[in-house]
């Protein structure tokens, strides 16, 4: 992998450019050879992918085929059996604890009896 710094336009002095930081260009989400098991049975094996910052990712598939396990691993709720998961260059639990990672619950609708302010804060 080659990492290149910012390029200067002809009318910008090099000393006016921000310092180069490889972390700035790191992937938002990275799975490297990840294996996830459920009750000892591999559900995902040797999965590799990267989502660059500013991009999205959709997980789709049949129930019980691993999408929920991927989300749990990204949120630090499930340890991986093998491989490496990084979120914003950090271990998932650290990224979540920093407040820079969030999740949207998949149940539809609003909680029964909730007030508008409570829903907005949620």
């Amino acid at each position: 992998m080659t990492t290149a710094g910012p390029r200067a336009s002809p009318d910008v002095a090099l000393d006016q450019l921000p310092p180069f930081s490889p972390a700035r260009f790191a992937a938002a989400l990275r799975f490297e050879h990840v294996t996830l098991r459920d009750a000892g049975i591999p559900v995902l094996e040797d999965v590799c992918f990267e989502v660059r910052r500013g991009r999205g990712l959709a997980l789709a598939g049949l129930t019980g085929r691993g999408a929920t396990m991927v989300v749990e691993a990204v949120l630090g709720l499930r340890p991986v059996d093998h491989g490496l998961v990084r979120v914003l260059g950090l271990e998932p639990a650290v990224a979540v604890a920093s407040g820079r990672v969030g999740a949207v619950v998949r149940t539809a609708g609003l909680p029964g009896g909730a007030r508008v302010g409570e829903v907005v804060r949620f």
Side-chain angles (χ1 to χ4, degrees):
M1 178 195 309
T2 304
T3 308
R7 295 181 184 217
S9 65
D11 56 347
V12 176
L14 288 177
D15 61 348
Q16 293 176 336
L17 293 172
F20 173 70
S21 167
R24 239 177 77 203
F25 299 99
L29 175 60
R30 193 174 75 199
F31 267 52
E32 286 185 14
H33 304 286
V34 173
T35 296
L36 295 169
R37 290 182 167 83
D38 188 25
I41 300 169
V43 176
L44 299 172
E45 281 190 283
D46 200 31
V47 174
C48 299
F49 67 87
E50 178 177 286
V51 180
R52 295 182 182 261
R53 291 176 189 248
R55 301 291 182 175
L57 171 70
L59 299 172
L62 300 172
T63 301
R65 300 293 187 224
T68 299
M69 293 177 80
V70 168
V71 173
E72 290 170 348
V74 167
L75 295 175
L77 300 173
R78 174 183 290 273
V80 299
D81 295 291
H82 178 77
L84 177 75
V85 176
R86 287 293 179 261
V87 179
L88 301 173
L90 304 169
E91 291 197 26
V94 173
V96 171
S98 74
R100 295 187 284 168
V101 176
V104 176
V105 294
R106 71 176 172 188
T107 56
L110 301 174
R115 296 173 184 237
V116 173
E118 293 170 331
V119 172
V120 170
R121 280 190 297 280
F122 175 71

